């Protein structure tokens, strides 16, 4: 059970949050101009890596804000959380 | 009671308070402070159960949570009886009733014992190998396997006990109240940290508290006396909470831990009334100190499982702590110095120590010398090769070990003994550390796995014997040093501590001890509960299993209720020896929570019955109850399902309600529909992007039906949205989808379209919705709101008006889910009950009929309107639903648009929504029934299934909706619905069954 540092509210228990999958996958601005393969890449393909991963999280039972998290999936260490639209503090 | 097995001098058992209990129906006595196991042993009862596979007689083997054999059924009440309770952990209380498990008809005469004679043909993997063929026989095998499998009996009635959950937060959590735990807690409180100390026993002090030995001194006092004073001194600290009878169940990431506190399990049944039985603590600790100790290992030799063979340290605890002699003529069998402590305790208590068989060549440590001084006979370099006695050990035979330890040589020496204490060294309890994600390292001189402090996942340390320190001076000094460093404490009251103890000078370990018989003729048990032997592990290796995880599952070693606390290390050792692998490379099996079994009651706590989930009720709920509605659960909502009158069946009520709604007037509580208030200068653009149809040109005061997709193009939700003002809309969603739709819309607004000026607020609870439909709906609204112009010109279908009912503001929408002329009144929820009653009064002359969800579903099915989630299942596009009309061709983009022309979504043979009519109009199909074209073709091809099905009283026939492969092209085609008793013939039709021209909307 993580303790998550919501960029808006501070440290809270994991039960208040929900995970929304991989971060930094931008919805294409002009979907109609994409091929089936390009659209499928956006729609279905996710990395699910073992190691440092960028994730979307929502403070569902709190401020309801979405934000991003850098988490190592091999040991659950959270390296950083940051607001939507901000650049990741870690590469 | 057999008093000859009790000694009097004792600090821990109150021999003035006698407690009566029953074991297998026989009335027995023990004392306050006893466990069930110690009381049984004092009554000279060793045989308590039968093993799982061979049904061999088994006795009490330990004194703690690692007990593999003495697991019993507690109580006979069908609500509170509990299986698989360790007799070594349950505190004795007045009226305790316990029963042996896994034996029939009795523990003394068990029919299953025949498996022991059959054991040569019951090797590891026997079930996997035997019951595989022929496949058709499985049903017959299954009956017998299920009958004879399983331990104990489940309760058959609901648990009446109360359970509780509670959160706790602390600076430091210390797990384990032995000497290292007590020292850790003292250091933490001296530093001023808020500390919780938990221990699973009712008494702090671990194993040191009853070790009254001259050779173990702390600051010149015997270690037990020193520790007793330290425990007493802890009571002075206000920043320390001590939780006894509390066992740690799970250690999760970020120092989140679960512990079970047993509050009433030690009380007599009448003292438990109205009290909480167990509490689950959810603990978040800044720092965790694990002081969980270690467990003594058995030795693996031929027939090492007979009742009366007990871990040496347990014999010591029974005599020193409980004052119980586990036998009258006890022998010990060891590979280390621990057994000598037991020998000295027994000897001092007047119990005859027959002989100590030690596999080592010699030892000159102080404790061995002390035993020799007491005249105890020691047989060096020997091993036990055979034991005798079926239900209780009677004698054993020992032989000299060969120089390499692989064989035995010389003559057999026979000894008579009614109890053998065995000691194979110690296993640190690293379960909790590894549960938290920590990695282990192998320490080969002690053959132990200990925490690798460089690979610790959170703020925690392990101290004492769970960290591999087994001698008193190491335990005390290392604990003080490491804890001070861990909590950054410079000075403590322990800084000048002086510890002396006997030091072990000789070590020897043989995982599988040899016998004079070949291995295949012996029974060296590893896992006593699951009856797996060293032979089974070797067989698994011969058959090609290499990974420890696979060997475990194939042989079932370590898979009992004790989770291999005693057996895992030996299994690993034997695998390492046989395969020539280093144990450190082999690794361990995964330790998973809970550390000891938890009852379901503790896990669910108060979340049972009506607290299992939230119940949401509409503002009009009480009226529905008063008018005898039957309710249906829709998500967390209670919705009226139908309103039976004068003993009507559901079918009769629904037929009456449906006819009334079409012929005169029906009224529905639609308050549960999700309502989202949408405001902002970009609200229209936002709706354009989330719905498939166009919204920019919707005039103020108009309503529009919208379909919402996922990005994959599949229908997600639907509902009517009304434009209240230039920048203000109210969206309705399905009842079940309300929360998810709001979350999804918020997600897009925050992450993809942050530039849009749009604000979303849920108003589902704030507004109630009353829907009135039928040809007389207009007359009823006219009576309630006389000054509202209801003409089609002023108030047409799909429009809305602000109005007042008795001075209360309300929104009236003219929208319809039934196909009838209808109105929806949206009103602040606190007035809804009164408005509903006003509608009922006004409608009386028109026979206004309240209807529930079932009639609502029937009426919309007559019109071919879908219900998302019933007719859709996340695999259907709007086109599949024959709703191409709702997809805007002009819009550049909306959620899911691009997916609507992927190669898969434009296939013409997708499953598509159709109507169905049965050839026999009285035959109503079952929802979920399969549709086939050719029943004789093998395999039968399933073309689709029925999604909605009703008997329509307005059409006097059965109607259904279904999804069918290539359904759009199959209008008029005959299909078959094969049912258990007959095949039903159906014809594919249009989805709209009633009023295809929509004339009734304006009737």
């Amino acid at each position: 059970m993580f303790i998550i540092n919501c960029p808006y509210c501070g440290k809270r228990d994991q039960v208040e949050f929900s995970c929304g999958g991989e971060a930094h996958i931008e919805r294409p601005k002009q979907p109609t101009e994409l091929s089936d393969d390009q659209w499928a890449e956006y729609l279905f393909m996710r990395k699910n890596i073992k190691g440092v991963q960028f994730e979307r999280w929502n403070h569902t039972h709190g401020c309801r804000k979405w934000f991003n998290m850098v988490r190592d999936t091999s040991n659950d260490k959270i390296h950083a959380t940051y607001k939507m639209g901000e650049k990741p503090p870690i590469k | 009671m057999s008093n000859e097995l009790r000694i009097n001098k004792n600090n821990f058992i109150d021999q003035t308070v006698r407690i009566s209990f029953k074991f297998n129906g026989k009335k027995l006595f023990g004392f306050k402070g006893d466990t069930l196991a110690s009381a049984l042993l004092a009554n000279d009862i060793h045989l308590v159960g039968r093993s799982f596979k061979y049904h061999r007689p088994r006795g009490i083997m330990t004194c703690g949570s690692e007990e593999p054999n003495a697991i019993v059924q507690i109580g006979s009440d069908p609500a509170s009886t509990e299986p698989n309770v360790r007799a070594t952990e349950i505190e004795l209380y007045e009226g305790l009733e316990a029963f042996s498990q896994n034996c029939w008809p009795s523990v003394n005469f068990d029919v299953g014992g025949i498996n022991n004679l059959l054991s040569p043909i019951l090797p590891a993997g026997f079930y996997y190998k035997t019951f595989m063929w022929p496949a058709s026989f499985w049903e017959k095998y299954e009956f017998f396997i299920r009958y004879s499998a399983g331990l104990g009996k489940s309760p058959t009635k609901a648990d009446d006990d109360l359970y509780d959950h509670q959160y706790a937060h602390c600076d430091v959590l210390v797990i384990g109240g032995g000497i290292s735990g007590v020292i850790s807690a003292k250091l933490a409180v001296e530093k001023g940290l808020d500390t919780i100390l938990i221990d699973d026993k009712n008494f702090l002090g671990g194993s040191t508290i009853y070790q009254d030995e001259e050779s173990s001194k702390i600051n010149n006092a015997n270690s037990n006396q020193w520790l007793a004073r330290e425990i007493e001194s802890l009571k002075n600290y206000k920043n320390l909470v001590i939780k006894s009878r509390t066992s740690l169940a799970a250690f999760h990431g970020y120092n989140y831990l679960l512990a079970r506190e047993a509050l009433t399990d030690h009380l007599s049944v009448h003292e438990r009334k109205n009290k909480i039985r167990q509490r689950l603590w959810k603990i978040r600790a800044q720092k965790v100190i694990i002081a969980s100790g270690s467990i003594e290992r058995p030795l693996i030799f031929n027939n090492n499982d007979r009742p009366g063979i007990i871990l040496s340290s347990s014999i010591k605890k029974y005599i020193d702590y409980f004052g119980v002699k586990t036998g009258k003529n006890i022998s010990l069998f060891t590979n280390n110095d621990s057994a000598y402590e037991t020998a000295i305790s027994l000897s001092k208590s007047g119990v005859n120590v027959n002989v100590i068989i030690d596999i080592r060549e010699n030892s000159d440590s102080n404790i061995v010398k002390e035993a020799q001084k007491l005249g105890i006979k020691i047989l060096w370099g020997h091993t036990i090769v055979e034991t005798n006695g079926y239900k209780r050990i009677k004698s054993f035979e020992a032989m000299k070990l060969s120089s390499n330890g692989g064989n035995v040589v010389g003559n057999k020496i026979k000894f008579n003994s009614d109890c053998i204490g065995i000691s194979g060294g110690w296993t640190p309890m690293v379960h909790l550390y590894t549960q938290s994600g920590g990695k282990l390292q192998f320490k080969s001189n002690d053959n132990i796995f200990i925490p690798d402090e460089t690979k610790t996942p959170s703020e925690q340390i392990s101290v004492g014997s769970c960290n591999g320190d087994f001698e008193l001076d190491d335990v005390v000094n290392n604990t003080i040093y490491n804890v001070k460093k861990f909590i950054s404490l410079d000075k403590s009251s322990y800084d000048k501590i002086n510890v002396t103890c006997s030091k072990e000078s000789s070590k020897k370990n043989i995982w599988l001890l040899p016998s004079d018989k070949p291995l295949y003729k012996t029974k060296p048990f590893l896992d006593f509960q699951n009856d797996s032997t060293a032979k089974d592990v070797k067989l698994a290796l011969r058959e090609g299993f290499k990974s420890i995880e696979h060997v475990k599952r194939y042989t079932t070693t370590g898979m009992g209720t004790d989770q291999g606390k005693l057996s895992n290390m030996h299994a690993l050792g034997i695998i390492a020896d046989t395969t020539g692998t280093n144990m450190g490379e082999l690794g361990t099996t995964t330790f998973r929570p809970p550390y000891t079994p938890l009852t379901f009651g503790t896990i669910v706590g108060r979340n049972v019955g009506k607290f299992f989930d939230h119940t949401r009720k509409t503002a009009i709920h009480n009226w529905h109850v008063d008018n005898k509605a039957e309710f249906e659960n829709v998500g967390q909502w209670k919705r009226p399902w139908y309103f039976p009158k004068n003993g009507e069946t559901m079918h009769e009520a629904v037929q009456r309600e449906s006819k009334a709604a079409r012929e005169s007037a029906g009224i529905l509580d639609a308050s549960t529909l999700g309502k989202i208030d949408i405001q902002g200068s970009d609200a229209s653009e936002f709706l354009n992007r989330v719905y498939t149809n166009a919204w920019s040109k919707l005039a103020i005061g108009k309503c529009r039906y919208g379909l919402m997709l996922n990005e994959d193009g599949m229908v997600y939700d639907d509902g009517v949205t009304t434009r209240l003002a230039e920048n203000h809309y109210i969206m309705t969603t399905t009842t079940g989808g309300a929360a998810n739709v709001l979350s999804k819309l918020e997600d897009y607004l925050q992450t993809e379209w942050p530039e849009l000026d749009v604000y979303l607020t849920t108003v589902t609870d704030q507004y109630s919705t009353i829907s009135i439909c039928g040809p007389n709906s207009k007359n009823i609204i006219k009576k309630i709101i006389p000054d509202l112009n209801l003409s089609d010109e002023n108030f047409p279908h799909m429009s809305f008006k602000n109005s007042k009912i008795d001075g209360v503001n309300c929104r009236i929408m003219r929208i319809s889910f039934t196909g009838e002329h209808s109105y929806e009144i949206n009103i602040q929820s606190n007035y809804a009950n009164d408005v509903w009653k006003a509608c009922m009064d006004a409608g009386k002359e028109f026979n206004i009929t309240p209807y529930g969800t079932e009639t609502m579903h029937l009426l919309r099915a007559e019109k071919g309107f879908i219900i998302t989630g019933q007719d859709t299942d996340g695999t259907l596009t709007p086109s599949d639903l024959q709703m191409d009309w709702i997809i805007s061709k002009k819009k550049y983009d909306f959620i899911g648009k691009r997916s609507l022309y992927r190669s898969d979504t434009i296939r013409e043979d997708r499953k598509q929504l159709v109507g169905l009519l049965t050839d026999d109009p009285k035959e109503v199909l079952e929802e979920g029934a399969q549709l086939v074209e050719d029943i004789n073709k093998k395999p039968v091809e399933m073309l689709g299934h029925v999604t909605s099905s009703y008997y329509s009283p307005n059409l006097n026939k059965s109607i259904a909706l279904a999804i069918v492969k290539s359904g759009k092209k199959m209008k008029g085609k005959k299909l078959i619905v094969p049912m258990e008793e007959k095949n039903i013939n159906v014809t594919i039709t249009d989805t709209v069954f009633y009023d295809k021209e929509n004339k009734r909307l304006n009737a």
Side-chain angles (χ1 to χ4, degrees), chain B residues 123-133 539-540 543 545 554:
Chain B
F126 172 76
Y127 290 90
Y128 300 130
K129 288 166 185 162
T130 309
F131 299 115
M132 294 303 291
W133 49 261
L539 175 69
E543 292 186 357
F545 292 92
Y554 191 58

Side-chain angles (χ1 to χ4, degrees), chain A residues 1-3 13 27 30-36 39 43-44 56 64-66 76-78 84, chain B residues 252-254 256 284 711-712 743 747-748 750-752 892-895 897-899 901-903:
Chain A
M1 279 280 241
F2 311 158
I3 287 181
D13 195 286
R27 188 175 187 274
Q30 295 172 319
T32 47
E33 284 162 31
L34 300 181
S35 68
D36 267 13
W39 178 246
L43 196 56
F44 302 121
R56 284 154 34 87
R64 294 187 66 84
K65 283 283 196 188
W66 283 91
D76 282 341
K77 191 169 172 9
I78 298 170
M84 280 290 162
Chain B
H252 296 296
Y254 291 73
Y256 179 71
R284 189 72 84 162
E711 282 297 9
D712 62 6
S743 293
D747 187 352
Y748 275 93
Q750 289 182 32
T751 65
E752 300 293 352
Y892 181 70
D893 192 15
F894 55 83
I895 297 172
K897 179 180 167 94
R898 175 60 185 83
S899 289
Y901 54 95
R902 288 176 56 234
S903 57

Side-chain angles (χ1 to χ4, degrees), chain B residues 572-588:
Chain B
L572 281 170
I574 290 167
I575 294 170
D577 283 354
T578 310
T579 58
T581 323
N582 179 315
M583 277 181 81
E585 287 165 29
L586 209 54
T588 64

